[in-house]
Amino acid sequence: MAAGKQIFISALVLLGALGFLALGYELPGKGRDVPVLVGWIAVGLCVLDVVAQTPTAAGRWIAALLSGSASGEPEDEPRGLSLELKSFFWVLVACAGVIVFGFLWAVPVYVFAYMTLHGRKPVVQSGLTALGATAFLWIAFELLLEYEIYRGLLFSDL
Amino acid sequence: MILHWKGMTMLALGVLVGLVFGAIPGLGGSTAIALFIPLTFDMKPEEAMALAGGIMGAVSFGGSITAVLLNTPGTAPSAATCFDGYPMAQQGRAGAAIGAAGAASSVGGIIGVLLLVAVIPIAKGVILAFGPPEFFMLAILGLAAIAASTGGMFLRGLIAGALGLVLAFVGYDSVSGGERFMFGIDYFWDGIPLVPTLIGLFAVGEMINLSISGGTVARTRELDMKVSGAWEGVVATFREWAVVVRGSALGAFIGAIPGVGGTVAGFLAYTTAMHSSKDPESFGKGNIVGVIAPEASNNAKDGGALLPTLAFGIPGSAEMAVFLGLLILHGLEPGPLLLIEHEATIMSLIVSLTISCIIATVIGLLFTRWLSLVTMVDVHVLVPVVVAVAFMGSFALHNKVGDVILTAAFGIVGYLMIRFRYPRVTLVIALVLGELAERSFHQAMNMTGGGWSIFFTRGISLGIFVLIVVALMIPALRFVLDRRRRAAAAGGRS
């Protein structure tokens, strides 16, 4: 992975650790003790991680020592950002669909849409898989286990 | 209870699920248990243990089938099986390889369970000697050991562990009597729920990863091999009984050490068998002993791994961490009293694990080709179905939409952790251990009025502290050894 991206990620996590530490100090009484301790440890580890990503002698030494290998970190396979964002989008769409329309509507639409639009699968195969997945959920949860499948904000009182 | 029809049905279902999930790389036992936890909500604890035991006992053999037939280990511990299993398949001896893998898995699993049963009475006595300082140190040891075992990701393993502890602090704090890190969201009153988090991190995160990588799960399409002749492999396993016993003992011992894991057990058993063989050059070219040794070790490790999980509430692997989620769901609080107060339920699990080892072999041998076909499923068919099941499972736990949202969020977090090499297993274990660690810390502080000396003046606690230091030094030791090895190799070439 490009060194710049790695440093960016490590720095982002360090910011998160600092934010957590700041929030930890605002806690009252004994509830603060362990979070603050963990916060300081996290900040220290994140600083080490940031240094380990830099192309400096100290960085290379820390990276090698703490990875246990003298040859350094293995190369990552490149991944397209747009493909990753699309994959996140599909998960979030499925989640939103379930919340608004319920499982019995959202699942077949999501499975069909994912397979045809993202997976480029034939329409018939996608339709059959979508119906099969929905049928499986209905049979397994509502029929056999007697759970009431969530009907969604539009179609239920929940 | 386990011999009742419901218990046996759950066991059989667990075996089938374990075989299928074990065969599909990227899924495995932790995803299987995470996905099926919600289905056990209305079951008796013994039935849930039967399901879990079935999954745990079968998943290893499922991974071995694809390791032999497709050179694609379904689970990481099955990787060593590829070395000789796949060459055997290429030589037309796939049936013998799978028969040997199945028989060795069965026997290894049974030996692992027997060792667990033998050690439990001793463990009970040891547990009673542990107090709050010891449990705090054990929690830290569990985290350090797991982080040290994550290959080249030690530092990020510790960071992921810290993140897990951060998540464990969310919610109502019984020590101070106030809420922490809830940001006004009542959903977090009881903390970050464990099971939706597990489902998100492992099932959904893995599906996002597969969605991006695309293709089929197996990277080869070689399924034309004959799989007859399994009986030859079974006979060979019993002929090589010394290899089986040694591999099983290694697997059970390594499984009992938190963080070391099945992959190490398999490889260690393989190399030990190779070095003690009269014909070490034949390893890697289709020597059946190269299949028997890691397989015996892989299944034996489950029995060993259950010991720290059940006795101390310290999960030694992602699968054990997820299994703890199942225990918590059924009101079985992991920790020192689990073995003492719920012995019958734990015995159900042990019996299930034993029986599942045998059933998995029989079913696996009968459905070998079908199981391999599972890996040919296109990921773009697998992904949406598993995501839908994951969301349904999360919701079914407590009928809360918030659980679905949490699963989706942790699915993305899980993928990002895979992408940027932050081990998920340390986060999960920290999330499980966080409450125990904090509670034990405060109890220990109360024992001494706030002094830290209690952690270093009690013998067991000090001993565990030494182990923590050793665990933290493992990556540095590996680095030194690796550098010496490279220098020696470079010196040899010049």
Side-chain angles (χ1 to χ4, degrees):
Chain A
M1 185 182 301
K5 195 187 270 188
Q6 276 287 21
I7 296 173
F8 174 74
I9 298 299
S10 300
L12 209 59
V13 176
L14 173 59
L15 271 178
L18 287 168
F20 169 74
L21 187 58
L23 286 172
Y25 271 109
E26 290 180 9
L27 294 171
K30 283 196 171 183
R32 171 201 305 175
D33 294 350
V34 178
V36 165
L37 174 64
V38 170
W40 277 113
I41 292 172
V43 166
L45 291 171
C46 288
V47 166
L48 278 177
D49 193 38
V50 170
V51 173
Q53 308 307 325
T54 58
T56 59
R60 281 191 292 273
W61 189 82
I62 291 172
L65 193 68
L66 294 178
S67 73
S69 166
S71 63
E73 266 198 28
E75 279 295 312
D76 286 312
E77 54 177 270
R79 298 229 165 155
L81 178 63
S82 65
L83 188 53
E84 290 175 324
L85 290 175
K86 274 185 205 168
S87 296
F88 297 163
F89 166 78
W90 281 109
V91 168
L92 294 172
V93 157
C95 180
V98 160
I99 292 170
V100 176
F101 301 105
F103 283 94
L104 293 178
W105 283 107
V107 166
V109 171
Y110 160 66
V111 173
F112 181 80
Y114 179 94
M115 285 181 66
T116 49
L117 299 175
H118 187 79
R120 303 267 188 261
K121 293 295 162 193
V123 168
V124 172
Q125 182 188 9
S126 304
L128 288 174
T129 306
L131 286 174
T134 311
F136 168 75
L137 289 179
W138 184 73
I139 292 169
F141 285 88
E142 201 147 303
L143 268 190
L144 294 178
L145 296 170
E146 295 177 3
Y147 287 135
E148 188 183 343
I149 293 182
Y150 179 54
R151 300 302 197 242
L153 291 173
L154 284 184
F155 305 117
S156 74
D157 297 328
L158 284 172
Chain B
M1 183 67 209
I2 189 66
L3 296 177
H4 189 265
W5 73 268
K6 264 192 179 176
M8 291 304 290
T9 305
M10 287 302 115
L11 180 61
L13 175 64
V15 167
L16 275 170
V17 168
L19 284 171
V20 171
F21 275 72
I24 301 177
L27 293 186
S30 43
T31 306
I33 299 177
L35 276 178
F36 278 79
I37 284 175
L39 300 185
T40 69
F41 192 70
D42 277 338
M43 291 181 194
K44 294 190 173 97
E46 291 80 10
E47 291 165 12
M49 294 303 112
L51 180 68
I55 291 173
M56 284 194 277
V59 77
S60 179
F61 184 45
S64 304
I65 292 177
T66 48
V68 169
L69 290 183
L70 302 169
N71 204 25
T72 304
T75 60
S78 302
T81 305
C82 291
F83 294 159
D84 278 278
Y86 188 62
M88 283 183 71
Q90 289 178 312
Q91 294 161 14
R93 298 161 59 213
I98 292 172
S105 279
S106 288
V107 177
I110 291 170
I111 292 176
V113 166
L114 288 174
L115 287 171
L116 171 68
V117 169
V119 173
I120 278 178
I122 305 168
K124 278 191 206 174
V126 172
I127 289 165
L128 294 172
F130 277 54
E134 285 76 25
F135 282 110
F136 174 73
M137 284 296 190
L138 260 186
I140 303 304
L141 174 62
L143 285 173
I146 291 283
S149 72
T150 53
M153 299 183 282
F154 176 62
L155 184 51
R156 290 198 163 175
L158 290 176
I159 293 171
L163 174 60
L165 289 175
V166 165
L167 295 174
F169 297 141
V170 174
Y172 172 74
D173 173 35
S174 55
V175 174
S176 63
E179 52 180 71
R180 295 187 301 189
F181 309 114
M182 286 176 55
F183 304 107
I185 302 172
D186 291 337
Y187 172 76
F188 292 130
W189 179 257
D190 288 323
I192 304 271
L194 179 62
V195 175
T197 305
L198 292 173
I199 294 174
L201 280 175
F202 289 104
V204 178
E206 210 56 60
M207 288 306 105
I208 295 175
N209 195 31
L210 281 178
S211 169
I212 292 167
S213 58
T216 56
V217 180
R219 299 297 173 199
T220 71
R221 295 199 69 86
E222 296 178 55
L223 257 191
D224 294 329
M225 298 169 189
K226 286 187 184 173
V227 289
S228 56
W231 185 247
E232 176 198 335
V234 174
V235 169
T237 300
F238 287 97
R239 189 177 62 236
E240 302 288 345
W241 62 269
V243 172
V244 173
V245 170
R246 188 172 53 223
S248 304
L250 263 173
F253 174 70
I254 288 172
I257 304 172
V260 182
T263 313
V264 171
F267 280 108
L268 196 57
Y270 181 86
T271 51
T272 305
M274 182 171 69
H275 289 309
S276 47
S277 166
K278 290 175 188 164
D279 185 19
E281 288 79 25
S282 65
F283 278 71
K285 297 171 187 161
N287 187 330
I288 202 166
V289 173
V291 172
I292 292 169
E295 285 301 314
S297 178
N298 284 346
N299 248 23
K301 70 143 182 20
D302 290 330
L306 278 172
L307 185 62
T309 306
L310 298 176
F312 301 107
I314 310 287
S317 63
E319 192 174 293
M320 287 298 139
V322 176
F323 172 66
L324 275 187
L326 177 67
L327 290 177
I328 292 168
L329 183 69
H330 287 275
L332 301 168
E333 194 64 33
L337 298 178
L338 179 64
L339 280 181
I340 296 166
E341 293 179 349
H342 298 282
E343 193 167 0
T345 306
I346 299 306
M347 287 314 293
S348 297
L349 170 71
I350 291 173
V351 170
S352 304
L353 199 50
T354 311
I355 299 175
S356 75
C357 293
I358 302 167
I359 296 179
T361 299
V362 173
I363 296 179
L365 288 174
L366 286 173
F367 295 104
T368 295
R369 293 191 74 83
W370 288 102
L371 282 169
S372 306
L373 282 174
V374 168
T375 62
M376 296 302 172
V377 172
D378 192 294
V379 295
H380 294 307
V381 175
L382 190 68
V383 165
V385 174
V386 173
V387 169
V389 172
F391 283 164
M392 183 67 233
S394 290
F395 178 79
L397 278 168
H398 299 114
N399 276 11
K400 284 184 185 174
V401 165
D403 288 343
V404 178
I405 298 172
L406 196 75
T407 296
F410 273 101
I412 293 173
V413 168
Y415 169 74
L416 291 172
M417 293 183 78
I418 296 170
R419 175 77 175 87
F420 296 115
R421 296 168 57 79
Y422 287 89
R424 291 165 291 169
V425 63
T426 44
L427 184 154
V428 163
I429 287 172
L431 182 59
V432 170
L433 291 179
E435 195 191 332
L436 169 71
E438 188 176 17
R439 188 174 64 237
S440 301
F441 177 81
H442 284 295
Q443 287 171 342
M445 290 285 108
N446 285 340
M447 286 165 72
T448 57
W452 285 72
S453 60
I454 192 169
F455 296 111
F456 308 106
T457 52
R458 287 164 66 108
I460 299 176
S461 179
L462 181 62
I464 299 173
F465 175 73
V466 169
L467 291 175
I468 292 171
V469 172
V470 168
L472 292 173
M473 287 177 60
I474 285 174
L477 287 170
R478 273 201 215 124
F479 168 72
V480 169
L481 289 172
D482 190 45
R483 204 164 64 166
R484 280 189 189 169
R485 186 178 56 81
R486 286 173 183 277
R493 278 196 296 269
S494 61

